[in-house]
Amino acid sequence: MSAQPTTATAFAPATVGNVGVGFDLLGHTVVSVGDRVTVSRIDEPAVVVRSDSIGVPIDAATNTAGAGLLRLVEDLRLPFGFDVVLEKGIPLGSGMGGSAASAAGAILAANRLLPDPLDEIGLLRYGMFGEEVATGSFHPDNLAPCLLGGLVLALDRDPLRAVRIPVPPALHCVLVHPQLRVDTRDARRVLPAQVCLADHVAQSGRLAGVIAGCYSGDLELIGRSLQDLIVEPMRSPLVPGFESVKRAALSAGALGCSLSGSGPSLFAWCRSSADGERVRYDMIAAFAAAGVPARGWVSPVAAPGARIEHEA
């Protein structure tokens, strides 16, 4: 029997939250960019957070990587605690699921150090404590795909249930991040407290269309349905150049384009990786024309979730 590891490093990928039509419910992972979290056991039942990233709080109770681990130590009455080293690869306030990635990486790495590891629901539960610290609300559309991988529909709070949605293998996502920052708490303040019934019905139909298209492999249905009628009109003015960047994506062949999470990043779904490269180029060019530097990535929508990179 191998010895229980005392240190583990996890990589947690960026995510696209909401996916336009699924506010607070739907999200998926993105390859190539993410946070790296190293967790080590310490003798006292406490959590210590360290990070060289500017703007990241190191008080464990207010840190997305630390808050869930504090609750874990308390609930399980652990005789030990955790030292956490957080390397932020996801820009703060980017709409790329940075808080969820830190929380997911921390709980996944810490789980490797427990004598009785948590199950999937336990990982989601303690990861959400960190996510709530960052955003002030419960929305698992970033955390659930970050932990589970691929496109995920997050349902019910207690207990949290998450359903993996199959997607056509050809389906790719373009994620473009302009050099801007929009904090989730601020972006939520522009949203209406109530939505009219007609808008709710229309948006529900579009969410259902995207899910049905994913199950059936109908890219045309996905393209017709991937339109956010409620949140995007409220939040898009926070992103300079939004309309021109969205037009550029659709003109280049994207199935649909909207805000990633609360923005300022935008995502576009495409029929192939080759289409994705063209869409990425045109979206970045449109941001540049608006005076905003940007960078982007192309990823399968069915990208893997957080993973352990090393343990000792």
Side-chain angles (χ1 to χ4, degrees):
M1 180 179 295
S2 59
Q4 181 79 39
T6 58
T7 298
T9 298
F11 176 81
T15 47
V16 171
N18 301 332
V19 195
V21 293
F23 180 70
D24 281 2
L25 297 173
L26 195 64
H28 70 81
T29 43
V30 176
V31 298
S32 301
V33 58
D35 289 355
R36 185 166 282 103
V37 188
T38 298
V39 179
S40 304
R41 280 178 55 159
I42 56 178
D43 292 336
E44 62 273 17
V47 176
V48 178
V49 177
R50 295 178 287 148
S51 177
D52 291 334
S53 300
I54 297 174
V56 174
I58 58 173
D59 172 38
T62 58
N63 181 279
T64 55
L69 300 190
L70 277 175
R71 184 64 179 265
L72 181 70
V73 170
E74 177 185 341
D75 286 355
L76 301 186
R77 299 183 179 180
L78 297 177
F80 57 87
F82 304 103
D83 175 83
V84 181
V85 178
L86 175 59
E87 302 174 50
K88 291 294 295 180
I90 302 173
L92 300 178
S94 63
M96 295 165 56
S99 58
S102 296
I107 193 61
L108 188 66
N111 197 46
R112 298 293 297 170
L113 313 183
L114 297 178
D116 297 307
L118 301 170
D119 60 13
E120 188 174 276
I121 294 299
L123 290 171
L124 289 167
R125 178 174 182 266
Y126 285 102
M128 277 310 305
F129 287 117
E131 178 75 323
E132 286 186 280
V133 161
T135 64
S137 60
F138 181 91
H139 56 98
D141 52 312
N142 291 111
L143 181 81
C146 189
L147 281 171
L148 305 182
L151 180 66
V152 176
L153 182 66
L155 304 167
D156 295 345
R157 175 167 186 164
D158 190 16
L160 175 61
R161 291 189 300 156
V163 179
R164 295 177 179 87
I165 306 298
V167 298
L171 194 62
H172 278 67
C173 173
V174 177
L175 179 60
V176 173
H177 171 56
Q179 289 186 12
L180 303 167
R181 175 169 177 169
V182 175
D183 289 326
T184 302
R185 290 175 186 263
D186 296 333
R188 283 184 172 266
R189 293 190 183 103
V190 305
L191 299 181
Q194 296 180 328
V195 175
C196 76
L197 181 60
D199 287 345
H200 167 70
V201 171
Q203 186 83 342
S204 297
R206 281 161 174 76
L207 173 60
V210 168
I211 300 297
C214 286
Y215 271 96
S216 64
D218 189 338
L219 295 179
E220 298 309 313
L221 176 58
I222 292 173
R224 292 196 303 272
S225 304
L226 196 57
Q227 303 174 50
D228 177 11
L229 305 176
I230 296 175
V231 176
E232 180 186 302
M234 299 293 104
R235 286 179 167 174
S236 58
L238 300 176
V239 184
F242 174 86
E243 294 297 341
S244 61
V245 174
K246 181 175 180 176
R247 282 196 302 270
L250 297 176
S251 297
L255 292 167
C257 176
S258 189
L259 293 167
S260 175
S262 58
S265 296
L266 272 69
F267 82 95
W269 275 12
C270 302
R271 294 174 176 83
S272 67
S273 60
D275 281 2
E277 290 296 342
R278 290 193 296 271
V279 169
R280 181 183 69 87
Y281 179 87
D282 285 2
M283 290 176 70
I284 291 173
F287 263 127
V292 183
R295 56 178 176 155
W297 305 265
V298 178
S299 168
V301 172
R307 65 184 186 273
I308 298 295
E309 290 186 323
H310 173 76
E311 60 184 48

